[in-house]
Amino acid sequence: MSPEELIARRTGRRCLPLPSNRLGLYLALRHWTSPGQRLLMSPISADEILFLVLAAGLLPVIAPLSRRDGNLDLSRTDLSSVDAVLTTNLYGLPDPVAGLAGKVVIEDVAHALETTVGGRPLGTFGQAGVFSLSKHAGAGSGGVLAVESGADLKALERARDRLLLPGAFAADLAAVGASIARHAVTTLELVRPALRLVRALGLVEPRQGYRIPLRERELKSALAAGSALRGRASQGSSLTDPPDDRLADPLAALDSWIRADLHHYRSRYGRLSRRYQAHRLGRVPRDRAARLAGIAMLAELPSVAPAVLDNLDQPLFRVPLLVSERDPAIAELERHGVATGYLYDPPFDDYAAAFTEASPYPGDARWWARHVLPVNPLRAHRAWEVLKGLSPAPSPAR
């Protein structure tokens, strides 16, 4: 069974296969919004998400953040001031989707493949749910876009095909090989030497702290070029039906930002990758019991984010702890063979102030970004000796 068939079985929706979650988010944003519109989004998410929003010509309106889960705080948000909402479902904890009825909602379900709300899978509440096959499944590549309407699916498929770049068997083989190697490193408990090797070889994307360099002047020029390209390519606002869209490449201007850590995010994958993605996705249910056991173990820590205690039945991608000395803890975990990733610090409105509308309540997001330590529940036992000695982060002043 293909990855899209497996996601369709879970969601009951029509599903489109993609080379990455990134391309799916861009397609959904271009399909359901128009350039110039205001998009509410979390201050805490992956770098490339912000650049995808900018590439779609939207204004990122940064939402207040909930200290309970690191997601949108709707109690302090004026939804009437925005045209659409992009959820994050950080580490698998669900955004407050029930409070978004009546809005255009694009669900980023990369971290929340198995999360449900009221028994209903995330990815089925908004106009679109965009899944990743490289998180829970660990396939290293691939994504699926889930939608309700057959007409939307056909339009999005046409749009996808206009943006796909040719693939190559060598790239397929490299992607599958890299994923297999990552799993072998974890299984054989070689994380620490593997981290030293990839850093020594320069295989890690250059970063300033936990974000890729913004290159503000270059980004402004790229956005201006992208805006001019959209104007020439189409008199409309949708990617799916403009008369001359085949002559344009709306992602090209921001490609060097969007592709960080995944340079083949819009390359067409072949049979080898597709089979491997389906294989990895099919294995996800086997890890459910172990994942839940790790979550229950980590939930005993005084530093665990409060919302985890409300979601002990959800097989989260990571368990967020909020600790006093986060960076020394990361170094100590590495010495114990446990890698830490998926850190998004600083918040978007500090990282890219010139390109966003700042949150009216930035303090909670800054506190969360500085103190959160996401832990893989499947590695809870190996990390336990370090984690149990960590002090909870002091509550932020309001």
Side-chain angles (χ1 to χ4, degrees):
M1 191 175 292
S2 69
E4 63 272 23
E5 289 170 333
L6 289 167
I7 297 294
R9 174 181 288 185
R10 172 170 175 77
T11 62
R13 288 194 160 192
R14 296 169 171 85
C15 291
L16 182 69
L18 300 161
S20 67
N21 164 273
R22 299 178 196 188
L23 184 59
L25 287 172
Y26 180 76
L27 290 170
L29 290 170
R30 286 297 311 273
H31 186 67
W32 275 284
T33 66
S34 300
Q37 288 189 320
R38 296 163 56 81
L39 179 79
L40 184 74
M41 63 184 299
S42 171
I44 306 292
S45 189
D47 306 347
E48 64 271 9
I49 306 303
L50 175 67
F51 302 125
L52 290 167
V53 172
L54 294 172
L58 305 173
L59 173 63
V61 177
I62 305 305
L65 178 135
S66 166
R67 283 189 287 167
R68 288 184 53 78
D69 56 20
N71 285 315
L72 305 176
D73 183 351
L74 296 187
S75 69
R76 297 188 289 170
T77 301
D78 179 11
L79 285 176
S80 68
S81 69
V82 297
D83 299 291
V85 181
L86 175 63
T87 65
T88 300
N89 304 299
L90 189 64
Y91 306 131
L93 293 168
D95 263 297
V97 285
L100 299 174
K103 282 291 176 182
V104 170
V105 177
I106 308 301
E107 297 179 74
D108 184 351
V109 207
H111 289 186
L113 175 66
E114 293 196 294
T115 301
T116 59
V117 173
R120 179 176 170 183
L122 286 182
T124 65
F125 289 86
Q127 276 72 12
V130 190
F131 294 84
S132 170
L133 304 181
S134 64
K135 303 297 189 296
H136 277 75
S141 65
V144 174
L145 176 57
V147 300
E148 188 69 30
S149 159
D152 286 328
L153 183 71
K154 290 180 180 179
L156 288 160
E157 184 175 14
R158 292 195 299 270
R160 177 203 63 182
D161 291 346
R162 292 182 186 119
L163 292 176
L164 282 177
L165 298 177
F169 178 73
D172 262 24
L173 189 61
V176 172
S179 176
I180 292 172
R182 281 193 295 271
H183 291 294
V185 161
T186 301
T187 301
L188 298 173
E189 300 188 347
L190 299 173
V191 169
R192 192 178 177 190
L195 286 171
R196 286 200 299 264
L197 178 62
V198 296
R199 288 165 182 165
L201 294 175
L203 300 178
V204 180
E205 198 83 23
R207 294 191 176 263
Q208 295 176 341
Y210 295 107
R211 296 284 191 190
I212 65 170
L214 186 66
R215 297 156 31 218
E216 184 171 330
R217 185 177 298 178
E218 293 177 53
L219 183 56
K220 287 180 177 177
S221 297
L223 287 171
S227 177
L229 181 60
R230 284 194 301 270
R232 290 197 303 270
S234 171
Q235 296 179 356
S237 60
S238 171
L239 179 66
T240 54
D241 295 313
D244 298 316
D245 193 64
R246 290 181 185 276
L247 304 178
D249 186 350
L251 282 172
L254 268 68
D255 187 73
S256 66
W257 288 269
I258 296 168
R259 71 180 187 173
D261 294 323
L262 188 63
H263 288 203
H264 298 288
Y265 74 96
R266 58 178 181 139
S267 296
R268 191 184 297 273
Y269 283 103
R271 185 177 301 175
L272 176 64
S273 286
R274 296 267 295 151
R275 286 183 175 176
Y276 182 68
Q277 290 163 4
H279 166 70
R280 293 298 314 178
L281 187 59
R283 288 177 56 90
V284 168
R286 304 183 193 180
D287 290 335
R288 183 182 180 93
R291 194 175 288 274
L292 290 173
I295 292 165
M297 183 179 184
L298 296 170
E300 297 176 7
L301 294 167
S303 57
V304 73
V308 173
L309 301 178
D310 301 329
N311 290 275
L312 295 177
D313 61 336
Q314 305 285 358
L316 305 176
F317 175 56
R318 294 289 185 269
V319 175
L321 307 180
L322 296 162
V323 302
S324 181
E325 299 292 336
R326 192 262 310 281
D327 291 349
I330 290 173
E332 186 63 21
L333 284 169
E334 284 192 12
R335 284 192 284 271
H336 282 72
V338 179
T340 303
Y342 306 100
L343 290 162
Y344 312 121
D345 184 15
F348 282 143
D349 40 353
D350 288 337
Y351 170 59
F355 303 93
T356 62
E357 182 176 305
S359 165
Y361 305 100
D364 288 338
R366 290 169 181 159
W367 175 81
W368 181 281
R370 185 170 60 252
H371 292 292
V372 69
L373 178 65
V375 179
N376 184 346
L378 297 176
R379 305 290 285 167
H381 285 278
R382 189 167 183 82
W384 184 254
E385 286 303 312
V386 175
L387 300 178
K388 70 180 184 180
L390 301 179
S391 299
S395 296
R398 282 197 170 181

